[in-house]
Amino acid sequence: MTRILALTGRVPYSTTEEAFVQDELAGMIAAGADLVVAPARLQTSQPNPDSVTSGVARVTVSEPLVSPRVLLAAVRVFARRPIKVLSILVSVCAGSGSFRNMINNLAAFPKALWLADLATREGIEHVHAFWLAHTATMALVIGRVTGIPWSATGYRWDIDAANCLTRKATEAAFLRVADELGDRQLTQTTTQIGRPEMVHLVRTGVEVPPATTWSRVPLATDVWCCPGAFVTKKGHRYLLEAVRHAVDAGRGPKRVDLFGDGPLRSQIEADIQRLGLTDRVILHGIVSLPALRAALRSERPIVVLPSIRADDGQEEGIPVVLIEAMSNGCPVVSTRTGCIPTLVTEGAGWLVDERDPWALYEAIATIGDDRARAEAVTATAYQRVAVEFALEATSARMLALISDVRGTP
């Protein structure tokens, strides 16, 4: 079994961020992987409880981005190979692509040297970075210092950031993406350097529970739920306007649960007030993934994600919250943006055009009008996720990719 160093943004020293990454690490451990996990930054002082239960915390090495231990190891590596280390530093700065990327790369560089030292001592045979941003920069540095082969997973914003992207595509053993949009973007880059075959589409896996955990619970069609960060591309304002349409038509939900937080919170609060929805919309803040799953299974609300393509070009890949909703027996209503249609296929949910609150309302209303059909669609959605997004299958696929490049110089 290949000994793997997995680089994360913060997992498991985080609360809810990267929960899907933590699940994948847990799945790899359950499949017998020999893992060492290293978060780039520590959001919390202790690993989260779910990581302790799954075993991820047990294999994690924790050190702040900058600490005496990190700096000492960085100096030690630099002293052994000063010319090489300086050339690597110049390379990752020159190829950053933006000032923000360069600052992130500079901040991560000492810890990357510390991890290079650790990787040598721990007998690491492969390094995999989750996110193509500064974590993949760390993997690139480790690879150049030690010669250990490495790979990376790109999701959405981190691909768009284009942080040393061509260099990473040139030097990585492979790049993994989780959706077709990422596949197209990275294949375009890798084709330009003659390596289109290095991009692999492996879905983001979720724990798919037995259908019996939710099938006996009646659909709560009068409860709408929207889990998602309060950012522009999630389109919360259109959901709130759809709620207003429903209320005006005498078919308003008894409750709308918003799970999440973010920079648009004050705007969303203002929209709730402006539309007269303070008695129906509840802002729950950020909740853990297990808590969200429990809420979905226990009540089976209609999960609505009114995503849009933002003016800056940001759009969805495949939202993990929709995968979770479908695997936990909830009907889903979303939009034809990004890669959402590749998840919510025909008969597995309801899709409408973006920025159309009236269409959202009408789609949601049809679920309550025909519960038998809604149950059939929900069952189809469950099977859709079970076939292609089950954590066991996606974790095994990742381990097979890593095993295939073992020993690559």
Side-chain angles (χ1 to χ4, degrees):
M1 182 64 70
T2 306
R3 188 157 172 77
I4 304 164
L5 174 61
L7 307 181
T8 71
R10 292 180 173 88
V11 158
Y13 283 77
S14 62
T15 51
T16 60
E17 292 183 16
E18 299 180 292
F20 54 95
V21 172
Q22 183 166 299
D23 278 354
E24 186 159 294
L25 294 171
M28 293 167 75
I29 291 172
D34 184 6
L35 280 187
V36 176
V37 178
R41 294 181 171 89
L42 308 182
Q43 183 184 47
T44 57
S45 60
Q46 298 293 327
N48 62 66
D50 294 318
S51 71
V52 175
T53 302
S54 66
V56 173
R58 177 178 52 81
V59 298
T60 298
V61 292
S62 60
E63 196 68 33
L65 192 63
V66 178
S67 71
R69 182 179 297 179
V70 165
L71 293 176
L72 181 61
V75 169
R76 188 164 56 243
V77 173
F78 175 78
R80 288 198 298 260
R81 306 176 183 180
I83 303 301
K84 185 169 191 175
V85 170
L86 282 175
S87 68
I88 297 171
L89 178 60
V90 170
S91 177
V92 298
C93 287
S96 296
S98 73
F99 181 72
R100 180 175 182 178
N101 287 343
M102 184 176 69
I103 294 300
N104 287 332
N105 289 343
L106 283 171
F109 195 78
K111 190 163 185 178
L113 297 180
W114 173 71
L115 287 168
D117 189 53
L118 179 143
T120 301
R121 290 186 284 104
E122 290 286 332
I124 297 298
E125 299 167 282
H126 189 94
V127 178
H128 185 80
F130 291 91
W131 308 99
L132 265 173
H134 63 282
T135 49
T137 300
M138 294 166 73
L140 182 150
V141 172
I142 295 167
R144 287 193 182 182
V145 170
T146 66
I148 298 171
W150 65 276
S151 54
T153 292
Y155 293 102
R156 176 59 40 242
W157 66 265
D158 52 320
I159 298 175
D160 294 336
N163 185 339
C164 294
L165 189 55
T166 301
R167 282 179 170 82
K168 290 169 182 174
T170 302
E171 299 182 31
F174 69 87
L175 296 178
R176 175 268 189 106
V177 293
D179 57 56
E180 284 79 0
L181 178 57
D183 193 11
R184 290 195 298 271
Q185 288 177 305
L186 288 187
T187 298
Q188 182 178 18
T189 297
T190 56
T191 297
Q192 292 171 355
I193 60 173
R195 301 188 70 197
E197 74 289 343
M198 74 173 302
V199 180
H200 297 268
L201 174 59
V202 182
R203 300 297 191 190
T204 298
V206 301
E207 295 179 3
V208 181
T212 53
T213 61
W214 52 264
S215 59
R216 295 183 181 88
V217 179
L219 289 172
T221 57
D222 57 352
V223 178
W224 304 358
C225 169
C226 180
F230 292 177
V231 295
T232 302
K233 73 177 180 180
K234 297 299 182 182
H236 287 87
R237 59 171 288 192
Y238 303 103
L239 169 59
L240 295 175
E241 291 175 7
V243 177
R244 185 68 256 173
H245 286 319
V247 172
D248 292 343
R251 306 188 63 180
K254 72 175 184 182
R255 193 177 80 243
V256 180
D257 295 320
L258 301 187
F259 295 101
D261 208 340
L264 295 186
R265 184 184 180 94
S266 61
Q267 180 60 58
I268 290 171
E269 290 175 334
D271 286 340
I272 293 170
Q273 187 76 30
R274 174 178 59 83
L275 294 167
L277 301 175
T278 55
D279 60 334
R280 296 177 189 266
V281 181
I282 301 174
L283 277 66
H284 295 269
I286 296 174
V287 299
S288 68
L289 186 52
L292 177 61
R293 287 170 176 159
L296 296 178
R297 294 173 192 170
S298 63
E299 202 164 19
R300 297 183 68 200
I302 299 174
V303 175
V304 187
L305 196 65
S307 301
I308 65 171
R309 189 176 193 274
D311 293 339
D312 64 359
Q314 287 289 312
E315 59 185 326
E316 298 280 11
I318 295 181
V320 177
V321 293
L322 289 183
I323 307 173
E324 291 286 354
M326 293 164 70
S327 69
N328 286 287
C330 297
V332 296
V333 178
S334 193
T335 58
R336 301 182 185 94
T337 57
C339 287
I340 292 173
T342 66
L343 169 66
V344 186
T345 50
E346 183 69 29
W350 291 260
L351 295 181
V352 301
D353 291 339
E354 64 173 321
R355 303 174 189 261
D356 190 340
W358 184 259
L360 276 175
Y361 157 65
E362 289 187 321
I364 295 168
T366 63
I367 297 174
D369 290 342
D370 191 343
R371 285 174 174 265
R373 179 172 182 269
E375 289 286 6
V377 171
T378 301
T380 298
Y382 175 81
Q383 291 300 323
R384 165 93 181 96
V385 171
V387 168
E388 196 172 348
F389 295 84
L391 184 61
E392 296 83 356
T394 58
S395 298
R397 176 87 168 106
M398 281 298 299
L399 290 176
L401 286 172
I402 291 171
S403 179
D404 286 345
V405 298
R406 182 176 180 178
T408 301

